Amino acid sequence: MGSHAELKVVVLGLGYIGLPTAAVIARTGARVLGVDVHQSVVDTINSGKVHIEEVDLDGLVSGVVARGDLRASLQIEPADVFVIAVPTPFGENHAPNTGYVLKAATSIAIVLKPGDTVILESTSPVGTTEKVRDLLVQLRPDLRIPGRAGEQADVAIAYCPERVLPGRILVELIDNDRVIGGITPRCARKALHFYRRFVRGACVTTTARAAEMTKLIENAFRDVNIAFANELSLIAGRMGVDVWEVIRLANRHPRVNILQPGPGVGGHCIAVDPWFLVHAAPEQTPLIRAARQVNDGKTDHVIAQATALIEAMPGAPVACLGLAFKANIDDFRESPAMKIAAALTARFGARVRIVEPYADALPVPLADSGATLIDIDTAIETCPVMVVLVDHDVFRSVPLEERAGKAVLDTRGIWPDQPRVAPAATGLRLAS
Ligand code: SAJ
């Protein structure tokens, strides 16, 4: 690795993780090239703009692009450090697809030279970094590749998972601890040196396999714990108990910390990553698999509850509050709220009104459904039925007097003072 001022870094994949990472590295004075397969993404970044919404990202990117520290291209170039941040979706039967990772590694092989470091950040099945290593062995027989050439390798290969929370990416990129897994200990130390440029959190080294598994179990931990909360919401619904109240009470125990129930689990990580573990060890993962099913089943449960409520109020306009996969962000992909809203508009058409302060227009799956996008004030004035799907702050702050007479299905527990009366025909309790 050269001195700080002249370090050259290539980041492959300029999405929700790659772009912020590239920009943060560029801010340290490294010369960063971002590589993406989409011309529009490359053009947007080279004009100093961003194609994704993330707090403070626009200002950071425009600054580093203006200074010439960040450029984007379709073409890879030689560098000292390569960071792979491409997607790892799952395909049929929840089998992880590492095709983009291996394609990125193939392109790196063309420009790789002695002294370089290759780091995989994409969430990956255990063993993927070794696959990258094997690919490089195959494509570059002229180089001594680590783990195949003892400690006398020409290049370093490591896995370092991103673990940032959408909405707090720039803060967490700097402050979170990092787990850095090397193909060899020397690889881990080389990668550690790179992360120390911009990470204030602790950087802990381990093996590539352990680091890969660490990432998967973090998100599986959260999925299992949300599933527990969602299962509690179903039990509490049957027993006529307010689930949020009992969770709050149980959490007063010094060793209990139950998460929040909701309409299901969305986003691109927590609902996906546990499948990587289930796929790799199907016999050993009954709990992780059940958690996935509980969380997906909660979305279907909410659709059934909302349908019963709306049918019990014939003709009344219905407001669906929120489409995003979680509070206070504009990301509608893999969102349970979106799935529920789509099911309700498919059934009830123009009776359904959508309130989503983070959308300028109805997203594609809803655009042709007859549903309309309205603001929260209009919803309060015109909709006797409300289905709360996202806990955006703007919804949370609606006082009781503005919603007192309404039939409300509150899947997020944002209105604890809402009278829990449902139209008799539904037989529902509206807390969950
Ligand atoms: N959710 C609940 N109840 C809760 C917490 C969350 O229903 O108590 C739901 C949310 O509404 C949302 C989903 O879970 O639909 C996921 O939201 P999240 O805020 O838990 O997580 P993400 O997907 O935004 O980010 C996660 C984070 N992982 C962990 O917290 C272990 C983040 O640190 C990871 O970097 C990210 O996944 C990732 O990229 O893997």
Side-chain angles (χ1 to χ4, degrees):
M1 229 180 264
S3 77
H4 273 191
E6 60 204 30
L7 186 79
K8 285 199 187 124
V9 179
V10 163
V11 177
L12 295 104
L14 293 173
Y16 277 85
I17 302 303
L19 180 57
T21 302
V24 164
I25 299 167
R27 189 170 55 188
T28 69
R31 309 279 288 181
V32 181
L33 175 73
V35 177
D36 202 279
V37 293
H38 297 292
Q39 183 72 54
S40 60
V41 170
V42 167
D43 293 344
T44 303
I45 292 164
N46 283 335
S47 69
K49 301 205 170 64
V50 293
H51 62 293
I52 52 175
E53 274 297 317
E54 177 60 37
V55 179
D56 296 336
L57 183 64
D58 45 356
L60 174 60
V61 168
S62 75
V64 288
V65 170
R67 279 201 304 279
D69 288 331
L70 174 64
R71 290 178 298 126
S73 172
L74 296 171
Q75 286 299 323
I76 195 164
E77 293 175 14
D80 305 299
V81 180
F82 298 88
V83 178
I84 303 174
V86 297
T88 45
F90 60 58
E92 262 176 45
N93 297 325
H94 301 110
N97 173 0
T98 53
Y100 300 111
V101 170
L102 298 178
K103 209 164 159 223
T106 304
S107 72
I108 292 170
I110 298 166
V111 294
L112 196 64
K113 61 184 187 318
D116 290 355
T117 303
V118 179
I119 300 167
L120 176 58
E121 285 207 4
S122 312
T123 303
S124 299
V126 175
T128 306
T129 311
E130 290 170 355
K131 275 197 193 156
V132 167
R133 185 268 317 274
D134 294 344
L135 189 63
L136 295 177
V137 168
Q138 191 192 327
L139 296 174
R140 292 298 303 271
D142 57 312
L143 289 175
R144 287 177 300 173
I145 303 292
R148 289 291 168 88
E151 285 293 313
Q152 290 308 309
D154 290 326
V155 297
I157 304 172
Y159 181 75
C160 179
E162 63 80 16
R163 31 168 48 165
V164 292
L165 198 70
R168 286 179 45 84
I169 291 180
L170 290 181
V171 176
E172 294 205 355
L173 260 178
I174 312 285
D175 287 343
N176 287 2
D177 294 353
R178 297 299 290 250
V179 177
I180 301 170
I183 285 285
T184 63
R186 187 179 284 203
C187 291
R189 287 195 295 276
K190 194 93 185 289
L192 173 75
H193 185 60
F194 169 67
Y195 281 99
R196 284 238 170 96
R197 285 177 70 93
F198 61 95
V199 173
R200 224 175 1 225
C203 294
V204 184
T205 57
T206 181
T207 63
R209 293 179 80 86
E212 287 162 343
M213 181 156 168
T214 301
K215 169 67 191 186
L216 298 179
I217 67 170
E218 288 168 4
N219 282 349
F221 167 87
R222 201 153 165 86
D223 198 45
V224 167
N225 283 276
I226 297 169
F228 181 66
N230 278 332
E231 190 159 296
L232 295 184
S233 75
L234 303 184
I235 303 169
R238 269 187 84 91
M239 299 189 172
V241 173
D242 178 342
V243 67
W244 287 281
E245 186 188 7
V246 290
I247 289 175
R248 218 168 32 245
L249 295 175
N251 283 350
R252 298 181 80 96
H253 185 291
R255 285 173 296 283
V256 173
N257 185 13
I258 303 169
L259 294 178
Q260 300 299 301
V265 169
H268 326 294
C269 310
I270 294 189
V272 175
D273 302 354
W275 288 118
F276 289 20
L277 292 169
V278 174
H279 188 264
E283 299 291 313
Q284 288 74 26
T285 45
L287 176 66
I288 296 172
R289 184 199 307 265
R292 277 281 72 249
Q293 286 160 350
V294 167
N295 285 334
D296 285 348
K298 183 67 195 288
T299 305
D300 297 330
H301 174 78
V302 170
I303 291 171
Q305 270 191 317
T307 301
L309 176 62
I310 296 168
E311 280 176 346
M313 305 274 290
V318 178
C320 283
L321 303 193
L323 294 175
F325 86 83
K326 65 177 186 176
N328 306 323
I329 63 166
D330 74 338
D331 194 340
F332 310 132
R333 297 168 302 160
E334 318 298 335
S335 168
M338 186 72 126
K339 189 176 170 201
I340 294 161
L344 297 180
T345 55
R347 187 164 179 133
F348 299 103
R351 268 181 77 190
V352 178
R353 324 272 152 93
I354 308 289
V355 185
E356 180 43 271
Y358 290 86
D360 302 328
L362 276 184
V364 175
L366 298 176
D368 299 328
S369 62
T372 42
L373 186 66
I374 60 173
D375 63 20
I376 184 68
D377 294 344
T378 312
I380 291 167
E381 283 158 25
T382 61
C383 297
V385 184
M386 290 190 157
V387 181
V388 179
L389 297 174
V390 185
D391 44 343
H392 290 318
D393 288 346
V394 58
F395 302 152
R396 203 179 273 281
S397 64
V398 174
L400 178 59
E401 61 260 32
E402 291 195 279
R403 52 183 157 81
K406 302 198 184 287
V408 174
L409 178 60
D410 178 3
T411 70
R412 295 280 188 177
I414 60 169
W415 294 336
D417 52 359
Q418 186 74 29
R420 284 174 217 290
V421 281
T426 63
L428 284 177
R429 298 190 179 274
L430 293 182
S432 50

